[in-house]
Amino acid sequence: MQDHLQITFRGMSPSPAIELLVRERAERLERMASRIQRCHVVVDQPHRHQHKGNPFCVRLDITTADDEVVVTREPDGACNHEPMQNAIRSAFDAAARQLETRARRRRAI
């Protein structure tokens, strides 16, 4: 998937550790759903003026041969900020569930 993976950092400097985590999760996702043609991951820190925590958003846009899956993870409130790594894992887990559900539906037809 390395050729089809695009990682974008917004409002923050690129992090090699975060990029490595995204690449590992994308490879795992491709093993599960080999029909992935494109995966665009956006890691965004929109509110840099916060005094506590680092609110950020993670968005996955995954294009397969059949359709497109979009997953977004955003902070719930100003005081509820999970670590960035957890949000990335959560977004990829949600994408995996969506891809599996769609694959089951295709097999049932």
Side-chain angles (χ1 to χ4, degrees):
M1 169 157 334
Q2 300 302 325
D3 297 336
H4 308 296
L5 178 63
Q6 180 183 1
I7 304 169
T8 304
F9 291 92
R10 292 188 184 147
M12 60 187 290
S13 57
S15 166
I18 296 301
E19 188 172 332
L20 179 63
L21 175 63
V22 168
R23 290 186 185 284
E24 289 172 353
R25 297 301 296 220
E27 285 176 17
R28 190 182 301 179
L29 193 63
E30 186 180 32
R31 278 186 248 130
M32 188 202 95
S34 61
R35 298 173 61 111
I36 294 175
Q37 297 174 339
R38 182 179 158 274
C39 180
H40 184 201
V41 180
V42 178
V43 180
D44 186 13
Q45 186 178 10
H47 304 293
R48 296 186 67 164
H49 63 276
Q50 297 288 329
H51 297 287
K52 290 185 177 180
N54 291 321
F56 58 89
C57 303
V58 177
R59 178 182 168 101
L60 301 178
D61 293 305
I62 300 170
T63 305
T64 66
D66 301 318
D67 55 6
E68 189 170 326
V69 172
V70 177
V71 175
T72 303
R73 289 292 179 258
E74 297 178 346
D76 294 334
C79 297
N80 185 14
H81 305 297
E82 63 180 328
M84 185 182 308
Q85 293 85 350
N86 290 354
I88 291 170
R89 288 183 190 106
S90 174
F92 273 98
D93 289 346
R97 286 190 300 272
Q98 285 187 30
L99 289 168
E100 180 60 32
T101 299
R102 291 171 189 215
R104 264 189 262 135
R105 288 182 186 155
R106 275 194 311 275
R107 286 189 298 260
I109 295 177

